[in-house]
Amino acid sequence: MANAFSVSKYDPFARLLHWLVVLLLAAQYVVAWTMPEIHRGTQPVGLIAIHLTLGVSIIAVMVVRLLWRVLRKEPGVV
């Protein structure tokens, strides 16, 4: 039985961050699959630049997500 102070589910912002990571990872996979071969000296343009940008975005959203998780209470077991 949950007490009056327990949280029953993750808040909307935490869920938004979760699904944003899912979408970014899916986009990252699609871009990586269609990207040309990379060699030493390849310039980061086109799909390679998009791939790098998505990677940095994933890291940034994950940092925000982890900080949010540390600052918020975890939902109880239902």
Side-chain angles (χ1 to χ4, degrees):
M1 183 168 150
N3 64 27
F5 299 106
S6 68
V7 179
S8 63
K9 62 182 179 177
Y10 287 101
D11 62 283
F13 187 65
R15 289 184 291 187
L16 172 72
L17 291 173
H18 169 81
W19 288 109
L20 183 57
V21 170
V22 170
L23 291 173
L24 287 170
L25 285 171
Q28 179 79 309
Y29 181 78
V30 169
V31 170
W33 191 259
T34 59
M35 220 168 40
E37 289 187 33
I38 299 175
H39 303 287
R40 187 177 299 273
T42 301
Q43 297 297 316
V45 295
L47 288 176
I48 297 169
I50 294 170
H51 182 74
L52 293 171
T53 302
L54 286 171
V56 170
S57 300
I58 291 168
I59 291 170
V61 173
M62 286 302 300
V63 167
V64 172
R65 187 175 177 204
L66 289 171
L67 288 173
W68 189 258
R69 173 61 183 89
V70 167
L71 297 174
R72 296 295 199 181
K73 187 175 184 179
E74 181 179 3
V77 178
V78 179

